[in-house]
Amino acid sequence: MKPCVVLQSDFGISTGLPASMTAVVSKVDPELRIYDMCHEVRMYDIRQGGRILASTCPYFADGTVFVSVVDPGVGTTRRSCVAKLDNGSYVVTPDNGTLTYLYDHVVAVREIDETVNRLPGSGNHHTFHGRDVYAYTAARLASGIIDYAGVGPEYPVTDIIRFSTPTAEIVDGCACGEITSASDHFGNVGISVPNEMIHAIGINLGDMARLEIIKDGNVIYDKEMMFHRSFGWVKVGELIMNECSNDYVEISVNQGSFVAQELPEVEGVFDLSAYKVRISKAGK
């Protein structure tokens, strides 16, 4: 069976742009299975697109061909590439930071040769590479029309464009990290502290924890909340620090939006590295 093609973009669902990508894949090879990952990545938010891609890829079969297009530099000199992952899957994307969260799984990367891998007749189009270059190349690769070498010239994996990635550590008995996301559908806030680190500082499921958010050296948020498996362990409208399914701690409001209710200033912020977090036992 041929590998499936999975599409992601920040194009939204109110236009025919995602459908145009699907159409190109199907036109290259009608036998290919095509799935949509997400077309509502926040506009121009490469970091969010990269996080969604990295958290979703592991649940598709090895050898899947992913297309991720969050491309504010479309039509410029930024490089278009296909990254090969350690499970045999491929990611077709602009090399603009999208691969940051998958970097440790990339075993090879090739620049797309647009003299070969470009939708015929699209040479004068410069604002829709998602359709004309990425969907077309992905379909050719998945269908077997080209092999990986046929994508274009290889370049060093270490040359891939990356953002700095947040870290976490235990300092004076506190779990310290930073906010990593504040733009999911439910208004939850993701942080760089692993679930296991909360247990390591002595906070167990059902215990109360203290969350501090620091910006520019100033504490801008300081509240206590329960730490537990999921939202439903507190009443509707209450705060909770939960063990998110991506293995990192998430801050939420049960059936509400933490961003809207507690931290509206992060709404629309792409780079959240200025927002540091410190988690400790309640009362500390």
Side-chain angles (χ1 to χ4, degrees):
M1 182 180 293
K2 296 176 181 179
C4 62
V5 176
V6 180
L7 306 176
Q8 172 177 270
S9 74
D10 61 348
F11 298 156
I13 56 174
S14 61
T15 72
L17 300 180
S20 296
M21 295 170 65
T22 299
V24 166
V25 174
S26 181
K27 191 172 184 179
V28 170
D29 187 342
E31 295 182 359
L32 291 174
R33 294 162 296 144
I34 310 165
Y35 299 97
D36 292 306
M37 180 185 298
C38 177
H39 291 294
E40 293 193 325
V41 176
R42 185 166 56 176
M43 289 186 296
Y44 320 121
D45 193 343
I46 300 166
R47 288 178 173 85
Q48 186 192 29
R51 287 192 299 269
I52 293 173
L53 179 68
S55 65
T56 307
C57 280
Y59 299 98
F60 281 90
D62 295 353
T64 296
V65 180
F66 298 93
V67 178
S68 183
V69 190
V70 182
D71 193 14
V74 63
T76 68
T77 57
R78 63 93 185 90
R79 188 151 45 185
S80 297
C81 73
V82 180
K84 184 177 182 179
L85 306 183
D86 53 12
N87 68 347
S89 293
Y90 298 93
V91 180
V92 186
T93 185
D95 186 355
N96 60 3
T98 297
L99 294 168
T100 297
Y101 303 99
L102 281 171
Y103 179 77
D104 290 342
H105 297 284
V106 177
V107 297
V109 63
R110 290 180 175 272
E111 183 172 6
I112 297 174
D113 180 354
E114 294 185 21
T115 65
V116 178
N117 297 305
R118 196 185 226 285
L119 182 68
S122 69
N124 291 324
H125 300 156
H126 306 290
T127 61
F128 199 177
H129 285 180
R131 176 195 64 195
D132 300 335
V133 178
Y134 302 135
Y136 185 71
T137 301
R140 285 163 60 82
L141 186 59
S143 67
I145 294 173
I146 59 170
D147 59 11
Y148 186 47
V151 166
E154 187 170 6
Y155 61 98
V157 171
T158 52
D159 285 357
I160 290 173
I161 301 298
R162 287 179 286 165
F163 301 118
S164 60
T165 52
T167 58
E169 60 181 341
I170 296 176
V171 179
D172 297 330
C174 301
C176 301
E178 62 188 62
I179 293 178
T180 56
S181 64
S183 54
D184 85 350
H185 180 70
F186 294 101
N188 302 320
V189 166
I191 59 179
S192 62
V193 175
N195 296 333
E196 60 187 20
M197 190 175 285
I198 302 300
H199 296 280
I201 63 172
I203 300 175
N204 299 310
L205 295 176
D207 289 348
M208 295 297 291
R210 178 184 180 186
L211 170 69
E212 298 171 87
I213 300 176
I214 303 101
K215 183 183 180 186
D216 299 326
N218 300 310
V219 176
I220 63 170
Y221 188 86
D222 187 350
K223 286 190 179 181
E224 295 183 353
M225 60 195 71
M226 183 184 289
F227 171 68
H228 221 304
R229 292 189 180 96
S230 61
F231 325 110
W233 291 92
V234 296
K235 295 178 181 178
V236 172
E238 289 187 352
L239 304 172
I240 187 161
M241 181 183 302
N242 66 281
E243 294 184 311
C244 187
S245 57
N246 67 1
D247 297 324
Y248 289 84
V249 174
E250 187 174 65
I251 312 301
S252 309
V253 174
N254 186 15
Q255 297 185 40
S257 168
F258 184 89
V259 171
Q261 178 178 315
E262 301 289 317
L263 202 63
E265 73 172 72
V266 302
E267 181 69 35
V269 178
F270 285 9
D271 183 359
L272 294 159
S273 59
Y275 293 87
K276 311 300 181 183
V277 299
R278 181 166 58 227
I279 300 170
S280 58
K281 291 183 179 180
K284 182 173 179 179

